[in-house]
Amino acid sequence: MHQGALRSRAAACSLLALVTSLLPTEQSERAAVVDVTCRDTAQPAKLRLRKALAAAVLLLTVYGVIAALHDPRGSLGTDTGGKLATVEMMRDRGTLDPDIGYWAQRQDPEGDLHPLYYTSKIDDRWVNVTTLPMVVAAQPLAEIGGLRAAMLLPMLGGLLCAFAASALAVRLDERARWHVFWIIGLATPVAVYATDFWEHSLGLGLLLAGSVACFDVALRRKGWWTAAGAGMCFGAAATMRTEALVYVTVSLFVVCAVVFVEQRGWRPAAIAGAGIMSGVVATLVGNVLLEQAILGRGLRTARAAGTAAAAGSTIAIRVKEALIYTFGFNSFRIDVDVMAGIVAAACVVAGAMLIMRRSITARFSGYMAFFVAGVLYLERFAQGLGFLPGLLIASPFAAVGIALGWGSRPQRFVLALALLPLPLVWASQYSGGAHPQWGARYELLSGALLAVVGIVVLRRDARALVGVITLAAVVTGFGLVFSVERSHDVARAMEVVVRSGAPVISREDHVLREGGAFYTPTAHWLTAENASELRRAVSIVATTGAPKFEVLQFHGRAKTPAFDGYRATEMSSVEFVPGVLLDVITYAHS
């Protein structure tokens, strides 16, 4: 064979080896891939590809079935409602412009009463999203198949999470590859966020991929291009998730420190750091250019700057919220709630440790510890559907990882990437939203990395692994049922609100934003936070000439004040989200 052809074939096989090394594979198969003659690689490569494709199709099918149970007009949080409203506007206009409009901009030019809370005025546009990539990617999908088609994006994010976590598992213990793939994909918070139109699954998948690249740079002596790839993954995640900036900063220092110690020199450490930073900067610059092209100015940078400015404020509140983010059951008084979470996490860890011992007595004690943890979870579930905000509560594998994952140097490196950023995340993340989130959504990367290590540790003992899988599956199942029910409650409540076609004034900040899928720029909706804004909203609604209007408020709130020229004619209540009633009060001309 011609020498040039041989070199080309060798290069092609080397490229194939690099790509397939990221997929779960047997050691013998991997050795076959790097044979430059390619004589023995065709079948293993095809087999490996078939396995990966089959796993991807099956996981996406499961996500699709779960997503089909949701009402696409409801969601897991108010941020998603703003995105749904934006995607609907973009689809209707056939454009990438995220402007959602405002019917009362003449009477309220600053948008103080805009129906969708957190809407910003950017020149002549009204924008309710803080990140563009997700809605821009969703627009063509929504044009093809509506909001259900747009759900493909978070599902692909969940698939990326599963494959990236599996690639990391291969680097810790190849035999844990498929355990990690399926458990991360179906029995951790990834499953909940993969079926909701939020950026969390996509952002987490990119962060996990960046962590895999950081592992290779630090412990496998991969070079500048791998470091740049890690930075690009972190940078892409930062365009959707602000906490990614914290994780990339800490990861950069950890990687540089390990490279400096391992290779005994500043030069390789500097090269690794420069590679990561160049990837981050290139991706963020690309996002700024996208924002400039669509909006004419930056959007995400203002959000990041505002988050950084709030860091460290109200230390007592930050500490309390950090406890909720870690151990919160969201069912009891705060002190009892945190204590119950600590006991549950400790029981999971103790149960796994004891069952992994050979003593019958120890194993029996382990089963009893699992039983106690199960009782605490069942007590929480018996109180009704709702969020489980605790990182170690929503993902029992994370509790095992943080307690038992220190046995090897590669595992300790992964734990460093997971644990060192947490104090900075607690200090800088949005304050006031600790309870209404699933599995500490700002710390999802830490939870996923800890879970990978926990699965790798537990794979050595089938009994312990099955015990924790059972708890994790039950917890995730509860979260999926909650998210499905929540989506239908929001949709049913908004159907009641819009049924009459009358103007609507919400006294609650996020109600109309939560129902963003029902928003139209011509709908006479307003949101009024206080009494003065409420009177102003009524005066604006009066200019429409409508004979009646509706006021929305949560059940149990102080009675709405009387308005000159109007009287309350009827009131009804509807469940807005599980366990929360929304009063709909109709006012008509006196």
Side-chain angles (χ1 to χ4, degrees), residues 518-589:
F518 292 81
Y519 171 82
T520 63
T522 57
H524 293 163
W525 293 0
L526 295 170
T527 292
E529 294 185 71
N530 51 53
S532 63
E533 289 187 350
L534 184 59
R535 289 191 295 270
R536 185 181 171 200
V538 172
S539 67
I540 293 176
V541 165
T543 64
T544 66
K548 62 181 181 178
F549 64 88
E550 297 174 342
V551 173
L552 310 180
Q553 64 182 48
F554 289 139
H555 189 69
R557 181 169 180 171
K559 185 178 179 181
T560 303
F563 305 115
D564 293 339
Y566 293 92
R567 62 184 176 86
T569 59
E570 62 178 294
M571 185 186 82
S572 60
S573 297
V574 60
E575 190 169 36
F576 183 63
V577 294
V580 178
L581 291 178
L582 182 69
D583 291 338
V584 183
I585 308 169
T586 302
Y587 284 80
H589 283 293

Side-chain angles (χ1 to χ4, degrees), residues 483-503:
S483 61
V484 168
E485 186 61 30
R486 195 180 197 277
S487 71
H488 285 279
D489 281 350
V490 170
R492 283 192 294 264
M494 291 305 299
E495 286 174 350
V496 171
V497 168
V498 304
R499 186 175 298 156
S500 67

Side-chain angles (χ1 to χ4, degrees), residues 300-373:
R300 190 66 183 166
T301 50
R303 169 81 172 204
T307 300
S313 61
T314 57
I315 299 300
I317 294 177
R318 294 287 184 180
V319 172
K320 183 181 75 172
E321 291 185 342
L323 291 172
I324 296 172
Y325 291 130
T326 307
F327 300 107
F329 261 112
N330 204 16
S331 58
F332 311 105
R333 197 175 67 244
I334 176 63
D335 52 346
V336 178
D337 192 67
V338 170
M339 184 56 66
I342 293 173
V343 171
C347 285
V348 171
V349 172
M353 291 177 62
L354 292 168
I355 290 174
M356 292 172 73
R357 296 184 179 180
R358 295 182 179 181
S359 168
I360 295 178
T361 303
R363 287 179 178 173
F364 177 78
S365 300
Y367 294 137
M368 292 304 298
F370 276 147
F371 176 77
V372 173

